[in-house]
Amino acid sequence: MNRCFGIIGGDRRQGALAELLEADGHTVYSYGLPGRQTGSLDQAAAAPVVVLPLPLCRGEGVLNCQEAPLPTAELFRHFHPGQRLLAGKVEAEQRREAEKWGLQLEDY
């Protein structure tokens, strides 16, 4: 069964995950991964399952994304309630920001 994933930000770990998902036949849109751009932010953010970095932020409210630093408050505007949003080391402030948009971040 082909599923669609969005991978936004991160490092080589997220890049390796994208390659593994594609090798299993899934569609992957990635944004902000070093050396790998397979879609726009809007495409990656529209996927039913979105994988965000570990840790989620690398500064005060800024997504851990080497290619395109982005405030999480701006990022969350691209998501919609009901999406599966996976992230790591989510701080309380980002959890509150997400909840304002009706989003739930799963922290792994």
Side-chain angles (χ1 to χ4, degrees):
M1 177 169 154
N2 180 339
R3 289 190 161 173
C4 182
F5 293 86
I7 300 180
I8 300 174
D11 54 28
R12 290 181 293 169
R13 295 172 291 182
Q14 283 78 13
L17 174 61
E19 291 173 10
L20 290 170
L21 290 168
E22 287 175 334
D24 282 346
H26 300 291
T27 300
V28 177
Y29 295 106
S30 61
Y31 176 81
L33 283 174
R36 179 185 169 86
Q37 185 85 8
T38 61
S40 68
L41 174 59
D42 287 334
Q43 285 175 311
V49 179
V50 178
V51 180
L52 298 167
L54 170 73
L56 177 62
C57 292
R58 67 173 167 149
E60 189 70 28
V62 177
L63 183 69
N64 182 6
C65 181
Q66 297 173 7
E67 298 292 309
L70 180 66
T72 54
E74 173 62 30
L75 174 66
F76 295 153
R77 295 177 188 190
H78 292 270
F79 301 134
H80 59 82
Q83 279 181 289
R84 189 150 192 206
L85 304 173
L86 310 173
K89 296 187 178 180
V90 177
E91 300 290 333
E93 178 62 28
Q94 279 66 50
R95 193 168 303 284
R96 284 190 296 272
E97 285 177 2
E99 288 171 356
K100 288 178 189 176
W101 292 96
L103 308 172
Q104 183 175 352
L105 298 173
E106 297 180 44
D107 192 343
Y108 290 97

